[in-house]
Amino acid sequence: MEQRRRTVLALLGAVVLLTACSLPRGAALQSEVVNEKNSEIPTFQVVPVTRANIPGIESWPASGWDGQYHWPGTSEGSSSSVIRTGDRLDVTIWDSSENSLITNPGQRYTEIKGVEVDGNGSIFLPYANKVGVRGLTPAGARAKIQSRLEAIVPAAQVQVSLQQGRDHTVDVVGGVTKPGAYPMPSRNYKILNVLADAGGIPQGLRNPQVRLIRGSSTYEISSDALFRDGSRNALLHPRDTVVIEEDNRSFTALGASGVEDLVYFPKDRVTALEAVSLMGGINDSRADPEGVLVLREYAAQYIRADGRGPGMQQVVFTFDLTSADGLFAARQFHIQPGDTVLATESPVTSARTILGLVGSVFGVSSQAAAVSN
């Protein structure tokens, strides 16, 4: 009997020593993370998220992404082509007069092909010298050339056709079926027109982002938003560049969840509740639904002391998904690229582990007593 008592005490002592140490588990406890707020000099800010403070938090600056969603609205341009520097004109002059100055004997017309519009916007034609045509439509250029020739060839009739130069194209670099340089058929050429000409955006790209590069400015919009709203069908300019890429924004999923990985944004905006779903939900047997955390880092210039922005660069947002208030708040809180969403471990898991160990001890001691008897 004494031997049995000593065995039980020894095993219980081993359990106490084991439980005094940190038990093995897959994630931190909420208290272990947020207790920093109680220190004399906290190194990060802890913000419990509720429906009441969501409007204020959502007005804080965006973080984790150097891009921005801004896009020019649609407008209308001329449906006719406009002559620009670098374009080439084919000019045909008809003259039925005998002994015409501009045609060979027996011919009724003469052709002057591939006349390039120079840097001053002019072309050179025999007898007409330099004719400024930049900014005119082919019809306008025809009328101007014919007017210049009237003094020399009164009966002349002029025909002009335009071959647009490299400066009157839009480059579609990637993310379409047929990338390349696309001539602008008119000044009313829009982003949806060039995407259609380029074969469209292939299926399977993750939340495709349409990027328009115009000189030193860059505009960006998701394809869903572009196709959904006709007011976003932006008018293109010569030498614009269009790039379509997958959305590379992501957040990190950690802790007692179905997925611990880098999770890419499947759409433009992802709420905290949607993020929990994207990470496979929280583990029913391990996770603490009162302790879902979002860890975020802000740039130093956004720190404010008046409560209208983050008070520190590193902020931990906490969510209680066991209450209606917490669930509604999580539906309105938007995840930023670079955030870490952490599903903390439930304290009950540690208690279960301890009880399991104690049960194992008593089971072992009972078996030892049975053997000794």
Side-chain angles (χ1 to χ4, degrees):
M1 189 68 180
E2 181 62 24
Q3 180 63 30
R4 178 183 177 186
R5 186 177 68 83
R6 289 179 180 178
T7 301
V8 171
L9 290 176
L11 290 171
L12 284 175
V15 169
V16 171
L17 289 173
L18 180 61
T19 55
C21 303
S22 59
L23 290 169
R25 58 178 186 262
L29 299 179
Q30 180 188 21
S31 60
E32 294 173 333
V33 178
V34 302
N35 275 349
E36 173 77 10
K37 67 180 180 181
N38 299 321
S39 64
E40 292 185 9
I41 306 177
T43 58
F44 59 82
Q45 182 181 5
V46 178
V47 180
V49 181
T50 64
R51 283 182 295 174
N53 64 6
I54 271 288
I57 294 173
E58 287 296 289
S59 69
W60 291 10
S63 66
W65 185 43
D66 56 4
Q68 55 181 321
Y69 284 122
H70 67 292
W71 187 259
T74 190
S75 57
E76 297 299 320
S78 172
S79 58
S80 58
S81 299
V82 174
I83 299 170
R84 299 179 182 275
T85 297
D87 288 350
R88 293 182 179 274
L89 301 182
D90 293 337
V91 182
T92 304
I93 305 172
W94 296 79
D95 184 15
S96 59
S97 303
E98 296 292 336
N99 300 319
S100 173
L101 293 174
I102 61 172
T103 62
N104 294 322
Q107 289 185 330
R108 297 300 182 187
Y109 66 91
T110 186
E111 290 181 303
I112 307 171
K113 289 185 170 292
V115 184
E116 185 172 355
V117 181
D118 63 22
N120 296 319
S122 301
I123 60 171
F124 175 80
L125 294 174
Y127 301 106
N129 205 353
K130 285 197 170 185
V131 183
V133 295
R134 183 171 57 197
L136 300 177
T137 63
R142 182 202 65 78
K144 187 171 185 179
I145 294 169
Q146 187 165 305
S147 175
R148 293 285 291 271
L149 291 172
E150 279 182 356
I152 303 168
V153 191
Q157 298 291 318
V158 177
Q159 179 180 345
V160 173
S161 61
L162 171 63
Q163 301 173 28
Q164 292 178 338
R166 183 69 179 80
D167 286 346
H168 204 69
T169 60
V170 174
D171 291 323
V172 184
V173 175
V176 292
T177 304
K178 299 180 294 184
Y182 287 85
M184 299 179 65
S186 72
R187 286 189 295 177
N188 203 34
Y189 199 47
K190 299 185 179 182
I191 184 68
L192 292 183
N193 298 132
V194 75
L195 290 179
D197 289 345
I201 301 173
Q203 295 292 328
L205 286 183
R206 180 186 59 249
N207 192 28
Q209 303 294 299
V210 181
R211 189 172 297 115
L212 174 63
I213 302 171
R214 177 174 295 164
S216 60
S217 300
T218 300
Y219 307 92
E220 189 167 352
I221 191 173
S222 69
S223 60
D224 282 347
L226 176 62
F227 298 150
R228 184 172 59 245
D229 189 350
S231 67
R232 304 296 185 89
N233 190 15
L235 189 68
L236 294 172
H237 294 180
R239 305 199 76 174
D240 278 352
T241 298
V242 178
V243 184
I244 292 88
E245 295 179 331
E246 285 191 322
D247 193 348
N248 61 1
R249 298 172 305 141
S250 64
F251 66 90
T252 303
L254 290 178
S257 62
V259 173
E260 287 189 296
D261 203 351
L262 204 63
V263 179
Y264 288 98
F265 280 49
K267 58 181 184 175
D268 290 349
R269 308 193 81 185
V270 173
T271 67
L273 204 58
E274 289 170 331
V276 171
S277 176
L278 289 170
M279 55 197 284
I282 57 177
N283 191 297
D284 292 340
S285 61
R286 292 176 48 217
D288 180 5
E290 298 181 12
V292 175
L293 312 180
V294 174
L295 285 63
R296 179 177 299 169
E297 191 152 354
Y298 288 93
Q301 66 264 31
Y302 296 137
I303 306 308
R304 300 186 59 159
D306 58 3
R308 297 183 179 179
M312 305 183 75
Q313 281 189 258
Q314 295 177 324
V315 181
V316 176
F317 299 97
T318 67
F319 297 85
D320 179 2
L321 300 186
T322 64
S323 68
D325 185 80
L327 287 168
F328 278 111
R331 286 184 60 183
Q332 300 171 37
F333 181 94
H334 287 98
I335 299 297
Q336 298 287 345
D339 282 355
T340 297
V341 182
L342 173 63
T344 60
E345 194 93 13
S346 171
V348 176
T349 303
S350 298
R352 287 173 179 165
T353 303
I354 294 170
L355 291 174
L357 289 171
V358 171
S360 298
V361 168
F362 279 106
V364 170
S365 64
S366 299
Q367 291 177 13
V371 171
S372 64
N373 291 332

